Amino acid sequence: MAGYSFFRQREGGSTDAAVAVGGASAQTPLQSVEAKREQAREGLDGLSREERREKVKSLDLLTEEEVDAILAVNEKSWRLDPPAVDGRGALRLRVDTNQVSSNSPIEDYLVWTPLGPEGATRYMFGVLDGHAGYQCAEQLSVRLAPMLSESLDILQQLEGPDNAAGSAGTGTSDEMVKEAQDLVRSPEQEWDQVSLALTATFIRMDQELVHGALAAFQRAPDLSRIDELLGPAVAGSCGLVTVVDTAAREVVVANTGDSRAVLGVRLGDGQWKAVRLSEDQTVKNPSEAARVIGEHPGEEPFVKGRMLGGLMPTRAFGDCRYKWPLEAQQDLFPVLLARGHRYATTPPNYATPPYVTATPVIVKHQLSEGDKFIVIASDGLYDQLSDAEVVDTVAQWFEANAARGAQGADQTLVTKDRNAATHLIRAALSTDSNGNRGDAVIRHLLAIPSPYSRRFRDDISVTVVTLNEE
């Protein structure tokens, strides 16, 4: 699809062919990593949880070369130089992305696309953090960006001079945009075109994944298609989309779940400040907890600190076990469970669905001169680093590479990585639970094989957008 990209790393990434040296077969670093992980996995299989915890402590560390190879598998960098608008130059962007998996296959996706025709000045960057499987996030990675472009087109038609009556057609997409307009318009907030389009897209996408797929299967029950149709509904995904308008110098963030966007701001005195552009929507967020309780009076929706005892996010795509009518769950969950969808189970005390929504929370920010970069990442990054640590780490990379550019290509870098997302992931995985940073930490964490690694680290997916890149 022209102008649209999505990325996904599977466990271990790609492996190169063995290189013959002196008549023998030498392993590449990635092949060596897989061999070490497989040996570790064999030693951990069959142990109790306590025995595994102790065994993991004594795993052989990866070498520095092996760590570098893992971090290099998925790193990508590119520049975007949008055209000037009305004689005013647009922001120039540099984009760095990377992913390191814990789950096998990884349940995260990164997406980006220009919004509009060739020469567009708006760009979408998103992170889709799947859970209970990768299927929901995978669908979002393919369908969300085109749907957002369509929603923007429809809103432009609705607001154009030829549609003064407010009608652009009768299609489903038109109806979902109008539904979003009705849902979000309030006297407390003025909703612009991008915010409405993002909201409409999130609502429509979830409607199709959860209820549209259910209706399609019920119309024509076909077991050969049940996994394709309903697998993404059983799985779930958080989703965060950031739209950067390089001409208007504005950022709009739509967030559903616990991924996060953080702005790096350089102050007048040269110090750096982290500004959060999204709020985590989990049961730990007081406003979210109050919202859910208010929507289900007389119930106790939180059990052991989770939604009905299961989910931490209060907003997510998919997760039909918190959205489908009870009758549909009773009819289909036994079939889905028997086919390996282990989250096709009805939560206890399921009375008044839906308990989880995909409607995003919107944050708008007008960019200023001190705003230097945006970090868009899944919660696996923020499990390891605070907002301030994230910004300080990228700022180190930002300033080191700015110095390198000023002093010449041979200038020694303070940072090892040429990719900002890689530098950030390296720092996150080099930080232990006490906040201490060291090379041995990442060499140990990346040595732990899937599925046991999930108890020690999550999938991490990061996009760093540098603003007004020189």
Side-chain angles (χ1 to χ4, degrees), residues 260-279:
R260 194 181 302 169
V262 177
L263 178 69
V265 181
R266 186 158 58 188
L267 304 176
D269 60 2
Q271 298 297 308
W272 288 86
K273 177 183 178 181
V275 176
R276 192 177 290 191
L277 297 179
S278 65
E279 286 298 326

Side-chain angles (χ1 to χ4, degrees), residues 349-364:
N349 304 317
Y350 192 77
T352 57
Y355 290 89
V356 174
T357 178
T359 302
V361 174
I362 304 293
V363 173
K364 292 176 59 179

Side-chain angles (χ1 to χ4, degrees), residues 90-158:
L91 290 173
R92 297 176 300 279
L93 308 180
R94 171 182 167 128
V95 185
D96 295 278
T97 67
N98 205 345
Q99 295 179 278
V100 172
S101 67
S102 179
N103 293 295
S104 180
I106 192 171
E107 296 178 351
D108 287 359
Y109 285 80
L110 294 173
V111 298
W112 88 275
T113 186
L115 294 172
E118 185 175 355
T121 58
R122 285 176 181 162
Y123 298 91
M124 164 191 161
F125 305 95
V127 58
L128 308 166
D129 183 359
H131 50 257
Y134 67 87
Q135 296 91 336
C136 184
E138 182 180 57
Q139 285 290 303
L140 293 170
S141 74
V142 176
R143 299 167 61 185
L144 195 64
M147 193 177 289
L148 175 58
S149 293
E150 184 182 14
S151 296
L152 283 168
D153 289 344
I154 292 168
L155 279 171
Q156 289 173 350
Q157 295 172 34
L158 286 170

Side-chain angles (χ1 to χ4, degrees), residues 77-82 89-96 123 125 244 246 249 266 272 367-374 394-395 397-406 413 418-420 464-470:
S77 299
W78 65 96
R79 286 180 169 83
L80 298 170
D81 192 6
L91 290 173
R92 297 176 300 279
L93 308 180
R94 171 182 167 128
V95 185
D96 295 278
Y123 298 91
F125 305 95
V244 180
T246 59
R249 286 171 163 75
R266 186 158 58 188
W272 288 86
L367 294 170
S368 61
E369 184 177 350
D371 299 341
K372 298 301 182 183
F373 56 81
I374 304 170
V394 178
W397 180 92
F398 182 92
E399 292 179 339
N401 282 274
R404 177 181 180 273
L413 288 177
R418 299 297 183 94
N419 180 294
V464 180
V465 180
T466 302
L467 304 167
N468 220 22
E469 167 74 1
E470 295 295 341

Side-chain angles (χ1 to χ4, degrees), residues 27-34 36 60-72 446:
Q27 287 185 320
T28 66
L30 287 177
Q31 289 172 328
S32 177
V33 169
E34 191 53 44
K36 288 182 177 180
D60 291 338
L61 302 184
L62 299 186
T63 66
E64 183 178 345
E65 183 183 24
E66 289 167 340
V67 168
D68 290 345
I70 293 171
L71 294 179
L446 291 180

Side-chain angles (χ1 to χ4, degrees), residues 155 159 190-197 250 252 362 364:
L155 279 171
E159 296 176 3
E190 181 180 348
W191 290 83
D192 64 293
Q193 189 180 92
V194 174
S195 301
L196 278 171
E250 182 180 74
V252 182
I362 304 293
K364 292 176 59 179

Side-chain angles (χ1 to χ4, degrees), residues 224-251:
S224 69
R225 297 193 64 209
I226 191 170
D227 300 315
E228 170 195 349
L229 283 172
L230 302 185
V234 176
S237 180
C238 299
L240 184 146
V241 170
T242 299
V243 174
V244 180
D245 189 324
T246 59
R249 286 171 163 75
E250 182 180 74
V251 175

